[in-house]
Amino acid sequence: MLLADEWKEYELIETGDGEKLERWGNVILRRPDPQIIWPIKDKKMWDKADAHYHRSQSGGGQWEFKKKVPKRWTVAFNDLKFYIEPTGFKHTGLFPEQSVNWKWMINSIQKANRPIKVLNLFAYTGGATVATAYAGAEVCHVDAAKGMVSWAKENLALSGLADRPVRFITDDCMKFVQREIRRGKKYDGIIMDPPSYGRGPGGEIWKIEDSLYGFVEQCMGLLSDKPLFFLINSYTTGFSPTVLSNILKQTIGKRFKGTHSGGEVGIPVSNSGLVLPCGIYGRWENR
């Protein structure tokens, strides 16, 4: 498991009873996590939360603000900065465990010592976009949600990278890839963080178990003659990281030399010494 253990402005303080207690900068949030099936040990500690997200039995939920919390604030990971904002679906606009992949991509791009073009699909608020732009890549950021694309633009500017060559696209990722192939566009790195289920702007249905392999195979048509990396992230319950590694082996691995791997990403829990698993990845890299 790869551990996101280099944060200074984020901390996973404690976990228990289906919830996690986190520090985002100076703000402490309490949020649900279904993987946390062990009990709370120190209940007094949880009183420190500035805000608590409560799930609704009918779906969704709402925040209970126990102290005055800014509508939006910032956290930094090394030189990268991001806006944090509690949303109506418990999220904050950032997945801190992805810092392990940001570091890997930054290192790959900087070591390549040549111009690199990166395509970031299902790109959300742009953590990977900011990281790869910071490393010197030309980036195309694609997400179907207009609000997430706007948030990503703000994160890029917040990190002092607004002048970097980044193209922001609001579109269905599958349709965009098809158009880019017809245009003859090529990329040296592809990143994707596909949802388990979703709909595109035109009602297109995405189910990861039915759609992922074919989509990765389609993306092969966008790879340059000397691709640098391919990264798949997933938070789909029940998926093994070996599944993602196998997909990469059967697609990009058949065309290019390199190494493929899969694994988990996790965050250490400060108070207990446990590690909270936070998703899986599949990587291919050209060595």
Side-chain angles (χ1 to χ4, degrees):
M1 178 182 285
L2 301 179
L3 295 183
D5 57 2
E6 295 186 18
W7 281 90
K8 293 181 174 62
E9 297 191 9
Y10 170 83
E11 179 187 7
L12 181 53
I13 302 169
E14 186 55 288
T15 58
D17 289 346
E19 293 189 301
K20 54 188 175 183
L21 189 69
E22 306 164 290
R23 178 179 61 82
W24 298 83
N26 295 322
V27 180
I28 297 178
L29 302 180
R30 181 174 178 173
R31 297 192 293 159
D33 189 314
Q35 293 191 99
I36 301 170
I37 60 174
W38 48 90
I40 287 176
K41 298 294 185 183
D42 182 359
K43 294 188 177 182
K44 289 183 180 179
M45 177 176 293
W46 295 76
D47 294 334
K48 297 179 181 179
D50 299 312
H52 185 185
Y53 186 87
H54 299 279
R55 283 194 182 278
S56 169
Q57 292 184 350
S58 58
Q62 62 182 3
W63 287 94
E64 174 193 2
F65 293 97
K66 300 185 176 183
K67 300 176 185 177
K68 189 173 181 180
V69 172
K71 183 179 184 297
R72 171 184 261 193
W73 65 98
T74 65
V75 299
F77 179 78
N78 297 333
D79 294 332
L80 312 181
K81 296 180 181 179
F82 305 97
Y83 284 110
I84 302 302
E85 182 177 336
T87 70
F89 294 94
K90 85 171 182 176
H91 297 300
T92 62
L94 191 69
F95 293 93
E97 63 274 8
Q98 287 302 318
S99 61
V100 296
N101 284 319
W102 304 338
K103 287 177 55 185
W104 172 69
M105 290 184 289
I106 289 170
N107 185 58
S108 294
I109 291 166
Q110 292 179 339
K111 280 188 172 182
N113 198 30
R114 60 183 171 92
I116 297 295
K117 292 185 177 181
V118 171
L119 176 61
N120 188 10
L121 300 166
F122 310 98
Y124 193 50
T125 59
T129 296
V130 173
T132 51
Y134 169 81
E138 179 181 335
V139 187
C140 182
H141 172 112
V142 187
D143 196 277
K146 185 176 181 180
M148 296 300 103
V149 174
S150 296
W151 196 333
K153 288 181 182 179
E154 293 173 324
N155 281 335
L156 191 73
L158 182 65
S159 293
L161 303 171
D163 61 341
R164 297 297 173 96
V166 178
R167 186 164 56 127
F168 290 96
I169 307 292
T170 303
D171 201 353
D172 174 75
C173 289
M174 297 181 77
K175 287 190 172 181
F176 178 79
V177 166
Q178 291 167 2
R179 285 199 299 273
E180 288 288 89
I181 291 172
R182 290 196 294 269
R183 294 168 183 144
K185 294 294 182 68
K186 298 294 180 181
Y187 296 90
D188 305 292
I190 295 179
I191 308 158
M192 63 172 67
D193 195 344
S196 300
Y197 178 85
R199 288 182 179 271
E204 303 87 353
I205 295 176
W206 167 277
K207 292 176 71 175
I208 194 168
E209 63 271 25
D210 298 332
S211 307
L212 181 58
Y213 184 89
F215 186 53
V216 172
E217 197 169 41
Q218 194 171 52
C219 287
M220 295 301 101
L222 290 177
L223 288 173
S224 68
D225 292 336
K226 295 181 179 179
L228 189 61
F229 61 76
F230 201 117
L231 172 67
I232 308 173
N233 289 307
S234 178
Y235 294 90
T236 301
T237 304
F239 254 36
S240 164
T242 304
V243 170
L244 303 184
S245 178
N246 286 346
I247 289 174
L248 293 173
K249 183 178 181 180
Q250 291 294 313
T251 53
I252 188 170
K254 286 188 174 181
R255 287 184 51 191
F256 299 99
K257 293 180 179 179
T259 60
H260 56 87
S261 60
E264 290 184 277
V265 290
I267 302 176
V269 183
S270 298
N271 195 52
S272 65
L274 299 177
V275 172
L276 180 65
C278 298
I280 62 173
Y281 69 88
R283 292 176 176 178
W284 175 89
E285 58 184 317
N286 186 348
R287 296 200 173 189

